[in-house]
Amino acid sequence: MSLAVLLTLAIGCMHCAGVCGAAGEDLVLLGQRLTQGYVKRFRPVLHWDQPVTVYLDLSLYSILDLQEKEEKLTLQLLFGQRWQDEYLSWEPSQFDGLSHFTLPASSVWTPDVTIKEALSEKTSVAVPYVSVTPQGWVRLSQPLVVVLRCSLAMFRFPFDIQKCNITFGPSLHTVDDVKIALERHASAVFNESQSFSSHGEWELLSIQTYSFSETMENRTYSRIAFEVVMGRCPMFYVVNLIVPSALVMLIDLVGFGIPAESGERIPFKVTLLFGYTVFLVLVNDILPPFKHATPVLGIYFVVCLAFLVLSVAESVLLLALVKPHMPNKALPLPRLAALLFPDWNRGGGPETQERGEETPLHREATSEIHTFLSAEKEPWSGGELLDALREVEAEVREVGAEVRLTLERGRTHRACLELMDTLDTLCFCVYLTLMAAFVLAITGLWVWGHEHH
């Protein structure tokens, strides 16, 4: 029994060795046949007037980095090329049904397809072989890390959408020698690229393809461009930049609830202004540089700062209106009060003092003095008593003037407070209206720009 088993195994091993040896001989024979007399310096066509059609394929693995300052985009992608080499074909039945073969890429003709926008290009994993089918179709796949030039539109940052082109084409062969075609539809390229890992700060929105011809120095070249459309994920900038600024502006609006005549409003608003200025200095490193157009976010910061400055200036001017005892500042106030409050100057005011009219207290004191002097029947010797009465009359006049001035100052101060409250309400309404218009404009720019793309 054991002898029979041993004989069976021996016969099987001899059969397998024969088959494997035959397959190995077929590979050797096929390799010798394909490479014998092959010249890789020439285009692999039997008729020289026929161009070689190279089919391109692209798979985007990840968006590694986008440098806004230098306008550089770094991508990791898989770049595939497929063309038909009329010298690399065989009949599978003659070589034990062999359906594919691999050759060193350096031993066959390869198209000189380059990336027009590439600043640097390196192969992440070396692939030194090409795959060949019995019909002569050759495939070369290269995983690349490419740094591209990309013109960026930063106006709607951080809700911006960027479009970068990857243009492939030969640098030597014209359209009569090499034609470039797309192997798969753009939707298939996009769907496959979306299935890979996330792209960090960026979201892949779409991939479009364009085929065209480019003429340089009276020579026409075939080109294919892949347009990569990607949108920035704005949540980081919304949380760290936009929301804090909006909260500062909201607190500034609440600050209008502090009475204008109080000295606490100005320190409060100055503190807000100083804190917001420090905030802008700190976030300066987060903002990307710009050279063509100011981003909407930069306009947002500048206008918020202008609103805070305007709020502080309004509070300072209103507080200056409650200083009527200072001639330089209170001079235009009675005119404004008389214009806005017609009853303010009725019954006496600063104009009464300027015309030198007498108050009731002054008229009563003068009348009593004259009555006392007229009741005396005998003249005063030496005039001492007359002089004393005249001094009393002068003091009464002085006291009356002080009382009149105090009353007028109090009346003017009350009018100033009424005027200040009215102006404060008016300024708050205008301030609120301008801020609402600004918020709508900024939101419209961001939302409209996002939907437009």
Side-chain angles (χ1 to χ4, degrees), residues 320-335 412 416:
L321 295 179
V322 297
K323 304 291 185 181
H325 60 279
M326 301 179 66
N328 294 333
K329 294 184 178 180
L331 182 60
L333 183 60
R335 299 176 184 176
T412 303
C416 288

Side-chain angles (χ1 to χ4, degrees), residues 121-170:
E121 178 181 337
K122 62 181 180 179
T123 304
S124 58
V125 178
V127 182
Y129 293 95
V130 295
S131 176
V132 186
T133 64
Q135 293 77 26
W137 288 102
V138 183
R139 173 174 291 277
L140 174 62
S141 298
Q142 296 174 303
L144 301 176
V145 176
V146 185
V147 180
L148 305 172
R149 294 188 305 270
C150 184
S151 180
L152 303 180
M154 302 300 299
F155 179 70
R156 293 184 178 88
F157 174 85
F159 301 94
D160 53 325
I161 296 176
Q162 304 297 341
K163 298 179 180 180
C164 295
N165 293 331
I166 311 176
T167 305
F168 295 93

Side-chain angles (χ1 to χ4, degrees), residues 45-216:
V45 290
L46 298 178
H47 303 283
W48 288 99
D49 58 344
Q50 297 295 324
V52 178
T53 302
V54 179
Y55 295 91
L56 301 184
D57 191 18
L58 180 70
S59 296
L60 180 61
Y61 284 164
S62 62
I63 302 172
L64 298 179
D65 186 26
L66 178 62
Q67 301 177 10
E68 291 88 352
K69 183 177 181 180
E70 300 178 359
E71 295 189 336
K72 294 181 180 179
L73 174 64
T74 305
L75 299 177
Q76 182 181 8
L77 50 89
L78 179 64
F79 172 48
Q81 305 176 66
R82 186 172 66 92
W83 67 94
Q84 187 174 23
D85 192 323
E86 297 181 359
Y87 297 107
L88 299 178
S89 60
W90 69 91
E91 183 62 37
S93 60
Q94 297 179 1
F95 296 92
D96 198 24
L98 189 63
S99 61
H100 69 279
F101 194 73
T102 57
L103 290 173
S106 59
S107 63
V108 298
W109 180 88
T110 56
D112 60 329
V113 177
T114 58
I115 301 177
K116 180 180 179 181
E117 296 85 2
L119 296 176
S120 65
E121 178 181 337
K122 62 181 180 179
T123 304
S124 58
V125 178
V127 182
Y129 293 95
V130 295
S131 176
V132 186
T133 64
Q135 293 77 26
W137 288 102
V138 183
R139 173 174 291 277
L140 174 62
S141 298
Q142 296 174 303
L144 301 176
V145 176
V146 185
V147 180
L148 305 172
R149 294 188 305 270
C150 184
S151 180
L152 303 180
M154 302 300 299
F155 179 70
R156 293 184 178 88
F157 174 85
F159 301 94
D160 53 325
I161 296 176
Q162 304 297 341
K163 298 179 180 180
C164 295
N165 293 331
I166 311 176
T167 305
F168 295 93
S171 57
L172 178 62
H173 295 92
T174 64
V175 69
D176 297 328
D177 298 330
V178 175
K179 289 184 178 180
I180 303 298
L182 189 64
E183 185 173 11
R184 294 187 300 170
H185 193 267
S187 59
V189 175
F190 172 68
N191 293 333
E192 182 178 353
S193 301
Q194 264 195 329
S195 64
F196 291 117
S197 59
S198 62
H199 305 299
E201 184 183 356
W202 295 93
E203 176 186 2
L204 184 63
L205 301 180
S206 67
I207 296 180
Q208 304 293 333
T209 57
Y210 304 94
S211 300
F212 61 97
S213 298
E214 184 179 16
T215 302
M216 296 185 302

Side-chain angles (χ1 to χ4, degrees), residues 108-393:
V108 298
W109 180 88
T110 56
D112 60 329
V113 177
T114 58
I115 301 177
K116 180 180 179 181
E117 296 85 2
L119 296 176
S120 65
E121 178 181 337
K122 62 181 180 179
T123 304
S124 58
V125 178
V127 182
Y129 293 95
V130 295
S131 176
V132 186
T133 64
Q135 293 77 26
W137 288 102
V138 183
R139 173 174 291 277
L140 174 62
S141 298
Q142 296 174 303
L144 301 176
V145 176
V146 185
V147 180
L148 305 172
R149 294 188 305 270
C150 184
S151 180
L152 303 180
M154 302 300 299
F155 179 70
R156 293 184 178 88
F157 174 85
F159 301 94
D160 53 325
I161 296 176
Q162 304 297 341
K163 298 179 180 180
C164 295
N165 293 331
I166 311 176
T167 305
F168 295 93
S171 57
L172 178 62
H173 295 92
T174 64
V175 69
D176 297 328
D177 298 330
V178 175
K179 289 184 178 180
I180 303 298
L182 189 64
E183 185 173 11
R184 294 187 300 170
H185 193 267
S187 59
V189 175
F190 172 68
N191 293 333
E192 182 178 353
S193 301
Q194 264 195 329
S195 64
F196 291 117
S197 59
S198 62
H199 305 299
E201 184 183 356
W202 295 93
E203 176 186 2
L204 184 63
L205 301 180
S206 67
I207 296 180
Q208 304 293 333
T209 57
Y210 304 94
S211 300
F212 61 97
S213 298
E214 184 179 16
T215 302
M216 296 185 302
E217 298 180 356
N218 298 325
R219 305 183 68 181
T220 304
Y221 300 88
S222 180
R223 299 283 187 262
I224 281 186
F226 291 84
E227 184 185 62
V228 180
V229 182
M230 51 191 180
R232 191 191 303 268
C233 299
M235 188 57 61
F236 172 80
Y237 300 96
V238 170
V239 173
N240 292 279
L241 300 180
I242 298 177
V243 172
S245 297
L247 293 178
V248 170
M249 300 307 299
L250 181 61
I251 295 176
D252 182 64
L253 285 176
V254 175
F256 278 93
I258 302 176
E261 65 273 13
S262 173
E264 298 177 357
R265 179 190 284 192
I266 294 180
F268 175 78
K269 291 185 175 290
V270 168
T271 303
L272 283 181
L273 178 60
F274 177 75
Y276 192 72
T277 305
V278 174
F279 168 76
L280 293 182
V281 173
L282 294 178
V283 303
N284 186 43
D285 295 335
I286 302 179
L287 295 176
F290 53 89
K291 59 181 180 180
H292 300 298
T294 303
V296 178
L297 186 61
I299 299 175
Y300 172 76
F301 286 150
V302 171
V303 175
C304 287
L305 184 62
F307 270 114
L308 292 177
V309 172
L310 183 63
S311 177
V312 173
E314 182 264 349
S315 300
V316 172
L317 292 177
L318 286 182
L319 188 61
L321 295 179
V322 297
K323 304 291 185 181
H325 60 279
M326 301 179 66
N328 294 333
K329 294 184 178 180
L331 182 60
L333 183 60
R335 299 176 184 176
L336 290 175
L339 180 62
L340 298 178
F341 304 99
D343 297 335
W344 175 77
N345 207 26
R346 187 174 299 172
E351 298 179 358
T352 305
Q353 181 181 2
E354 295 176 358
R355 293 194 302 265
E357 296 182 359
E358 296 180 345
T359 62
L361 179 61
H362 177 260
R363 288 195 298 269
E364 182 179 356
T366 305
S367 176
E368 290 180 358
I369 293 174
H370 284 290
T371 302
F372 177 77
L373 292 177
S374 61
E376 297 294 333
K377 298 180 179 180
E378 296 182 359
W380 297 93
S381 59
E384 292 87 355
L385 184 57
L386 182 60
D387 293 339
L389 292 176
R390 288 176 177 174
E391 292 179 1
V392 172
E393 181 183 6

